[in-house]
Amino acid sequence: MNKTLQGVAALALGGACMAGAAVADAAPKKTVVLVHGAFVDGSGWAEVHKILTKDGYPVAVVQNPTTALPDDVAAAKRAIAAAEGEVVLVGHSYGGVVISEAGSDPKVAALVYVAAFAPDAGESVASLIANPPPGAAAPPILPPQDGLLWLDKTKFHAAFAADLPADVARFMADAQVPWGAAAVGGKVTTPAWKVKPSWYLVTKDDQMIPPQAQRAMAGRARATVSEVAASHAVYISNPRAVAELIEQAATASQTASRK
């Protein structure tokens, strides 16, 4: 082969490699499935949703009833089943219990815990909060009524959303979704974090789930951990930090799946 033909062949081979890389880079992004926690609904994910969709991620927001763990897991699984391709499953607060149970689904490539409970087998929210760290604030949960729990409206701002404007926190308090006592006692059977890569966002100013407890659960799950100075409502007050960790998880799991 003469030098001219060799040059043409090299260019063609290089072009083919570049095209192959472009195809790989253009692989569909994973669907992000967002699971809210107790006392709120899925609308709180609005800004996180905006960031993720702008960056090209398909997103599903689960409206789980937070009444009983099996019902909430079923809602998450419906969203996972409806997603195209692999899923990054994200849970805030009690939503972490839901994703720990639902995340064993083979379509789930990664788990992201946002100031969330990450129970082991046989654990529930009730068991995890039974022995709080010394000096930790007690969430202002009122006594159950008809098997449902609410947060004290007068203490909602300080406990749940201290870094949000007072009017926003008041609306959240007035619009809160009751949490089923059955959900609080719902036990995880096979925690997905034991077999799926996990990420965890610790909220250093949290008055609902103590930061010490968050770090302990994240460490047990061998999660990749980020920390941010934020309240329990970090997904509303600092959606950028939440979205960045989700995208980190999506990118890392995307790279791993290509190997």
Side-chain angles (χ1 to χ4, degrees), residues 2-71:
N2 62 38
K3 291 184 178 180
T4 301
L5 290 177
Q6 287 176 337
V8 170
L11 286 171
L13 180 60
C17 291
M18 290 177 65
V23 169
D25 289 339
K29 291 188 175 181
K30 290 177 170 57
T31 297
V32 177
V33 175
L34 303 170
V35 181
H36 66 81
F39 307 116
V40 295
D41 63 17
S43 63
W45 292 111
E47 290 301 315
V48 173
H49 176 277
K50 184 183 296 184
I51 294 168
L52 293 173
T53 53
K54 184 178 180 180
D55 291 344
Y57 288 90
V59 179
V61 179
V62 181
Q63 292 287 10
N64 46 305
T66 68
T67 50
L69 183 58
D71 295 339

Side-chain angles (χ1 to χ4, degrees), residues 13-237:
L13 180 60
C17 291
M18 290 177 65
V23 169
D25 289 339
K29 291 188 175 181
K30 290 177 170 57
T31 297
V32 177
V33 175
L34 303 170
V35 181
H36 66 81
F39 307 116
V40 295
D41 63 17
S43 63
W45 292 111
E47 290 301 315
V48 173
H49 176 277
K50 184 183 296 184
I51 294 168
L52 293 173
T53 53
K54 184 178 180 180
D55 291 344
Y57 288 90
V59 179
V61 179
V62 181
Q63 292 287 10
N64 46 305
T66 68
T67 50
L69 183 58
D71 295 339
D72 299 322
V73 169
K77 285 187 172 182
R78 284 192 292 270
I80 295 167
E84 291 189 10
E86 294 185 320
V87 164
V88 176
L89 189 58
V90 183
H92 170 254
S93 192
Y94 163 70
V97 183
V98 179
I99 71 170
S100 294
E101 186 73 6
S104 297
D105 188 290
K107 290 178 70 174
V108 176
L111 304 168
V112 180
Y113 292 86
V114 180
F117 293 104
D120 202 344
E123 291 182 342
S124 63
V125 173
S127 66
L128 288 171
I129 65 175
N131 297 297
I141 301 175
L142 297 172
Q145 297 180 25
D146 299 324
L148 300 173
L149 301 168
W150 281 265
L151 286 180
D152 185 334
K153 290 184 181 182
T154 65
K155 299 177 181 178
F156 189 101
H157 190 189
F160 197 102
D163 52 0
L164 291 178
D167 61 333
V168 175
R170 179 172 181 176
F171 174 78
M172 292 174 66
D174 289 341
Q176 64 181 291
V177 179
W179 191 14
V184 179
K187 295 180 180 180
V188 167
T189 57
T190 306
W193 51 258
K194 288 195 172 182
V195 294
K196 302 291 177 79
S198 301
W199 281 255
Y200 198 111
L201 185 63
V202 173
T203 42
K204 295 190 286 187
D205 301 327
D206 203 307
Q207 300 297 305
M208 292 293 293
I209 304 178
Q212 311 96 295
Q214 294 183 38
R215 295 184 186 106
M217 289 185 287
R220 182 173 66 176
R222 301 182 301 279
T224 299
V225 179
S226 292
E227 297 200 5
V228 61
S231 75
H232 197 59
V234 62
Y235 62 111
I236 301 174
S237 65

